[in-house]
Structures are given as structure tokens and as C-alpha cells.
Amino acid sequence: MLLIHCPWCGDRAELEFRHCGEAHLVRPADPAALDDTQWAAYLAFRDNPRGWARERWRHVHGCGRFFNALRHTLTDRFAATYKPGEAWPEPPI
Amino acid sequence: MNGFGAFRLLREALRGQTGWEPQWRSPERPQPTYDVVIIGGGGHGLATAYYLAKQHRVGRIAVLEKGWIGGGNTGRNTTIIRSNYLFPESAALYDHAVQLWEGLSQELNYNVMFSPRGVLMLAHNVHDEQSFRRHVHANRLAGVDNEWLDAEGCRAFCPPLDIHQQRYPVVGGALQRRGGVARHDAVAWGYARAAAALGVDIVQNCEVIGITRGADGAVTALSTSKGEIRTGKIGVVAAGSTSLVMAMAGVRMPLESFPLQALVSEPVKPVFPCVVMSNTVHAYISQSDKGELVIGAGTDQYPSYSQAGGVQILSHTLEAICELFPMFRRMRMLRSWGGIVDTTSDRSPIIGLTPVPGLFVNCGWGTGGFKATPGSGHVFAATIARGEPHPIAAPFSLDRFATGRLIDEAAAAAVAH
């Protein structure tokens, strides 16, 4: 089980959290202006990297708030968690 | 030829088993040119190569495998085979596979130990019962066998099952008698042996590191850890690593890769006659011919390539198993492992063409790809050979995410991953 640092509550067990997919996906401002391919790209197509991934988590059984994280998908190690709206940190070398 | 006839067995018994040869050719290096290259030497990739060589005249074929054949999800699953999926498209695809399973040992002349011992899916509440009855009706309309058993019927079919326990009382179950299990390694080995006998080159320890496209966008070559290969057709069958391979050709995929765990117990005498799955409490279990209980757990909640998962996922499943089958409470588990499964948003696979000419993909099997191995290889081989989707594969195209014709089996899977 992962130990996850909520930016508001501190270190908590993974059981308190819900993974919410890739981070920094911006919903198109005018969906009606998109064609089907662009809309599909927003809805379904993902980076799915092997390495550092930026992802969204939610502290569902805690403060209930969303935050972003930088996690390595081969080691599952978190490099950082940060609040929504903050700039993403650069991955460690 | 490496047969296993009675005379050969007797002769080898007398010579100390020294006369056996490798069952398939595995060249150390690939040729510089192939007509079709399959990336991924798991069951699906080997089956694809076999049907390409057997049924389609496509010339020289290679299967490139990063590790060893059958070492990924083919060797890491719980070997359950069934076809009682809800939607007609899925039922057609998975039942195509079950029909091929039924004759596979004869087809390959290699015993894959297909054992149609019945797959029983338990219902624990009214919602389950309504959902499964709907499945039974839908399956029968699609020509797939599936029947409803009441609680006593479930116990009669699977005597170890405790239908009266307090926590997860059993109200009934859906039974597919043609479903069952097979020996996962033998499937990979059998397809490899049969494909190699037809001239397919199976190159192991050969990692693809780049895909080259020509001026018109079509694929022209591959770079691998064992050199360049020129080819006009590439079939990507890389399961959890599909996103990474497709990115080499500049194609983004609607996939996320998750760890899925399974575990086996110490081997015991035959105690468990069938396959039992429970969607609601998330447990599935069968007994291998070796005697181990084979138990499947769930996926972790986050994408990962670690081939390991959280212990809480395993304990959740084992708690459910112990409630349903109290006789297993003192059983010791021998080992557990994780595989990386590539899931789509509608939990149905992607089989077919890509935006890149000459590049074909077969992926997205998620948590249930083993059961489809022969059918998947069969329709994917036809898709590659003809350059257009096989009729059974057509609904599972990559562009369904743009057209919106999703095949939403997410809630219809045997267990909710």
C-alpha cells in the first residue's frame, strides 16, 4: 500500500485516496467546436507513460479535496504532491 | 519432428530423456527483412503468427519478444475461459475463441489441457440476480450457453461452496458449462511450436526500440536491440506495453496500464470441481491440475508498470474466498504476482487498423485476455493479411472512441475491476 502525502492533511495510507486519472487535462472551453476525433482525444486517449507521470488524486476519506502528484510508474515512488493550480514540478533526474 | 508418440516416449525413457530437442526454433538474430512482424510473443502474438502462417499467404513472419515467450500476462493469468459476455459483439468474439479452444489441442497437436469444467458466476443479492438473468437471456439469444442455477443448484454443482454463510449469502448463479480453464504455458508453447514448424521466426530477448515511417506515413522498418528489420506490416500485440510501442510510431492510445494480481496456494488433492467467480465480493477461484488453488485478485487503482500490486488487494480477495469457502481458511498461499494489463475506457479490446498505414494493433484486453487467445489471434491474423478488419473484429476498431460506438462491458465483466 502506498503512503501518500496529501498537501492539506499530510501523510496518509493509500486506502484514504482515490486515483483520478491523468492530471492537467483541460476540458475544452467550447466542446461544440470540436470534431469527434478531438473530443475522443480529450475523453479517452492518454499518455500512459512508463516513468514519471502527472496524475490527479482525491483524498476521498479525508479532506475530500483533489490534488496532483508526480509519481514514477515503474517504482510507484512519489516525487511530489501539489495543490491544484500550482505549476507542476520537474521530475527528478 | 518432435512428436510425443508412445514409441518416442518409450525410447526416451530408456535413453534417460537425452534425445529431446527444443520444441520450436528460436533464431538468435532476426533476418533483415520480413513481410509481417508481430511485436509481442505472448499467447495473442504467437496465435496471430500461427494463423497468419497457416491460413494466409503473407510470406516471411517474425515474432519479436522483449523477454521470453509467454513470460508476460500469458504466464500470469488465472487461465479462465468463458464467453458469457453481455453484448452481441463481445459474445461473438469470445465465443469464436471458445469454439477454437475446443479443438485447439488437435489443431496444434499439443496438449493445451483445455478443461471445460464450467464457470459459475455467483449472485449474492437481488441486483446480481437481475443482472445475471439478463446475461443468461442475452447469451441465449446470441447462441452462447449460459443457464441460471438457484442456490441449491450452485451447491450441487460446486459442493465446497457455503451458500448459507452470513456475510455473502448465495441466491443463485449463472453457469456456463462450456467455460473452464487451460494450461497457460502450454498455449504459448503450443502456438510457438506450431508457428515455428510453419516457418515463423520467434526471436526472444529482442526489444523493439523504434518504428520507422516512410514519406507517405506508412511503416517501413523497425529498430530493435538486435538490429534493423525492414517490413511493410507490423502487428503490435504488446498488452501492457502497447502505449509505449505505439508511441514509437507517433500514435497515442486510449489505454491505461494497471497491475493485476493473482496468487496460488500450496498444491492439494482435487477438491474444487469448477471455476467460481463472484463479481460482488470480487473473488475468483479454480484448482489447477497440479493441485494449486488459482485465485485472481483485482487491479490496483493507479496505473503502473511495476508488475507488483498492493497487499490490501490480495487480502480483500482472500477474505472473500474464505467466507465463500470456509474449508480454505487454513490453506497456505504459495506465491503471488502481478501482470500489467492495458485497459480501455469501455473495457473491450481494440483489434484492427491504426491511423498509420501498415501498422495494426491488438490490445486493450484488460483483465480478461487469456480466454480470447485463439479467437484474438485468428481474427487479428485475418485483419493483418487482408488489410481490413475481420467481421468479428470490426466492432472493436480504434475509431470507436471517436464514433461513440463503444462496447461497454465494464459492468458486464465477471468481476468489477
Side-chain angles (χ1 to χ4, degrees), chain A residues 1-2 14-15 17-19 21-22 36-37 40-41 44-50 55 57 71 73-74 76, chain B residues 66 207 240-241 243-244 252-257 300-306 310-312 345 398 401-402:
Chain A
M1 190 179 303
L2 305 179
E14 181 200 333
L15 279 182
F17 296 87
R18 181 72 46 80
H19 182 267
E22 193 173 315
D36 290 346
T37 308
F45 287 68
R46 297 290 178 262
D47 281 345
N48 198 22
R50 181 165 65 191
E55 54 193 16
W57 287 78
R71 183 178 60 90
T73 59
L74 208 52
D76 293 336
Chain B
K66 180 172 70 174
E207 181 175 3
S241 300
S243 292
L244 310 173
R252 206 164 182 243
M253 295 298 289
L255 295 171
E256 289 187 296
S257 298
D300 280 279
Q301 60 168 329
Y302 48 84
S304 175
Y305 290 85
S306 62
V311 173
Q312 80 275 14
S345 53
L398 181 58
F401 297 92

